[in-house]
Amino acid sequence: MNRQSWDIVVVGGGPAGMAAATSAAERGVSVLLIDDNSGLGGQIWRGEEANPSVREAQEWSKRLKSSTVEVLRGFRVFDQLRPGVILAESADGMREIGYSRLILCTGARERFLPFPGWTLPNVMGAGGLQALVKAGMPIREKRVVVAGTGPLLLPVAAYLKRHGARVKLIAEQASRSSLLRFGNALVGQPEKLVQALKIFSALIGVPYRTGCRPVEVKGDDRLRSIVLLCKGRRFEIECDYLACGFHLVPNLELALLLGCQIESGVVAVNEMQQTSVANIYCAGEPTGVGGVNLAIIEGQIAGFAATRQTGKAQRLLPARARDHKFARALSEAFAVSPELKQLARPGTLVCRCEDVAFDRLAQCRNWREAKLYTRCGMGPCQGRVCGAATEFLFGWSTESVRPPVFEARVESLMAKEVSEPEVRV
Amino acid sequence: MPESLSISLNGKQLTVPAGSTVAAAVFIGGHISFRRSVSGEQRGPLCGMGICFECRVTVDGVPHVKSCQTLCKSGMQISTDE
């Protein structure tokens, strides 16, 4: 890969990014797809390259391989050198990557909420535990409780069960009535109903409770048991792992760094997935969490639109409108109950990087003040975990980023200084 | 590609399946604490996807390596901060 600049650069190799890159390449332009993991597929198709199981993942992987798209793995984008050039770093060094048009497909992460004991080893995200197991972590015969909220809990539980875990309980905080409303919204979408039925049949024998939330993890050097609250009744379950996530929040850091407008917590895009910065497009979860099908459609639209294949992009608009409806039903059904704000106690850590407890944050008026006085959000994760938590707990807006948006070695940061033109006074 | 490879975890030899991440290797080796927090608490992985930084370990002398995004290589020296 000798080239330093591409017509189209796609950041993020999940479903949206794979679709965007493949679609753009149909135009015959140069396309680079860059991802910070060693394998493509993002979180939802993680491990599909090594162990194929999802037909759609295989199809897109095949289409990508037979296209002219160049792929750069294990590189995370941490800054921009100047408009039109981003900087990315791997274990082996830094690269400057030039683009005419950029498509951001940076995906989403799990929302984590603090409750007593959540920092103990073996308390993980729901998607987090699944990702670790896909990467080789042993799970056979381990006792797991899956908790939190969102459509991710069920497939995670099914995956863990299939790999030999003893799933003791799935605890969904959303009420039965809001899930039933969500189920009704699926009626017009038979393929989604089929997916749901497959997952439920894989989970026969696993208790599933709605309106049920974790309140405390008990343990010593690790998690030993989890206390849950369900319809006013507290009960305790011994387990080896707690897989707990509260739906998803979009990864906005790069979009913010590049100056893209954010509205209501998502990257604002027009009908063609174009952001407020004319040569930057965005697709998938950063424009609103809506699942894999919507991500693929948006990725294709962005890839086509960015390469002036407008007709092809327009043909996908009805499909996108249909999936937008699904996305709205999703966020309504799995809205986190305000009651979960009561989970943290005064001493419960909220910022895990700088070990800042709830009571210290409760004295602050906003995110900036919290950063200045307590160092909340100032550690290595740069607020990626505690930011979403404080938004939920205190209503703070945490939409401010500074470069580098990911950790970078001093050599990489210096390389940026060296390559920036000297300012003459 | 070989089916398994040999690494060193906290000074002990360990064989792991090829394709395992460093995080998986730490679990295979029976450890649960990956790092110490700024106030001394034991911590292990949370997000599994490179955003939370809780799974940091030292790999071949380089500190603060995200174990969930790093693949094991033959002969790799891994140490956790227990």
Side-chain angles (χ1 to χ4, degrees), chain A residues 253 350-357 361 366-390 396 398 400-402 404-405, chain B residues 51 53:
Chain A
E253 287 75 15
V350 176
C351 169
R352 304 169 61 118
C353 293
E354 297 289 334
D355 286 0
V356 185
L361 295 174
N366 53 47
W367 178 239
R368 182 181 152 77
E369 206 173 278
K371 282 178 131 181
L372 286 171
Y373 292 120
T374 71
R375 286 198 54 79
C376 179
M378 302 281 278
C381 98
Q382 287 288 292
R384 282 179 171 80
V385 174
C386 62
T390 60
W396 293 346
T398 59
S400 65
V401 297
R402 284 186 200 183
V405 290
Chain B
I51 64 119
F53 292 74

Side-chain angles (χ1 to χ4, degrees), chain A residues 112-368:
Chain A
F112 298 111
L113 297 178
F115 50 92
W118 79 298
T119 54
L120 282 171
N122 293 353
V123 178
M124 299 167 189
L129 179 57
Q130 184 182 30
L132 287 158
V133 171
K134 283 185 176 178
M137 173 188 169
I139 198 68
R140 190 158 291 280
E141 291 304 314
K142 300 288 185 192
R143 300 163 303 167
V144 184
V145 171
V146 179
T149 199
L152 197 61
L153 300 187
L154 293 170
V156 165
Y159 178 88
L160 296 173
K161 184 169 179 255
R162 199 162 68 240
H163 287 78
R166 289 159 58 197
V167 181
K168 309 266 285 185
L169 175 71
I170 305 164
E172 165 63 61
Q173 64 90 40
S175 67
R176 181 169 296 264
S177 58
S178 67
L179 292 184
L180 284 175
R181 275 199 302 277
F182 179 63
N184 286 335
L186 290 189
V187 168
Q189 305 192 37
E191 77 283 359
K192 286 202 168 68
L193 270 180
V194 170
Q195 280 172 14
L197 286 174
K198 270 189 195 157
I199 290 167
F200 272 112
S201 62
L203 284 169
I204 288 170
V206 177
Y208 177 66
R209 289 196 180 202
T210 53
C212 183
R213 57 179 184 265
V215 288
E216 181 179 5
V217 165
K218 291 186 180 172
D220 33 50
D221 64 335
R222 73 192 72 179
L223 148 104
R224 299 289 179 187
S225 68
I226 165 85
V227 181
L228 297 122
L229 181 69
C230 191
K231 297 183 184 80
R233 197 173 72 84
R234 287 167 75 100
F235 57 100
E236 190 169 341
I237 301 179
E238 288 183 10
C239 58
D240 301 303
Y241 297 106
L242 171 63
C244 184
F246 294 87
H247 204 23
L248 304 173
V249 286
N251 291 323
L252 302 177
E253 287 75 15
L254 192 54
L256 281 163
L257 181 81
L258 300 175
C260 303
Q261 199 181 327
I262 309 292
E263 274 170 23
S264 311
V266 301
V267 177
V269 289
N270 66 14
E271 194 177 61
M272 288 290 135
Q273 302 295 135
Q274 189 179 28
T275 71
S276 62
V277 180
N279 65 339
I280 302 180
Y281 294 70
C282 187
E285 310 296 44
T287 65
V289 172
V292 59
N293 293 335
L294 181 59
I296 293 169
I297 295 166
E298 289 188 357
Q300 292 177 87
I301 292 172
F304 288 138
T307 49
R308 298 200 179 87
Q309 306 179 76
T310 317
K312 287 183 185 172
Q314 270 163 347
R315 279 197 283 283
L316 290 162
L317 299 185
R320 186 183 58 187
R322 201 187 60 155
D323 265 54
H324 272 159
K325 268 190 210 159
F326 172 72
R328 274 194 297 276
L330 205 61
S331 60
E332 279 167 25
F334 297 106
V336 182
S337 159
E339 287 176 12
L340 273 78
K341 291 181 190 178
Q342 316 301 323
L343 290 182
R345 292 191 197 138
T348 305
L349 294 185
V350 176
C351 169
R352 304 169 61 118
C353 293
E354 297 289 334
D355 286 0
V356 185
F358 179 87
D359 56 351
R360 293 188 63 205
L361 295 174
Q363 296 168 28
C364 299
R365 284 173 300 181
N366 53 47
W367 178 239
R368 182 181 152 77

Side-chain angles (χ1 to χ4, degrees), chain A residues 58-77:
Chain A
Q58 295 316 305
E59 279 173 18
W60 280 104
S61 180
K62 211 156 73 183
R63 287 178 69 173
L64 186 68
K65 276 192 197 115
S66 59
S67 75
T68 55
V69 174
E70 289 178 81
V71 180
L72 196 55
R73 296 158 187 259
F75 274 83
R76 50 182 159 257
V77 177

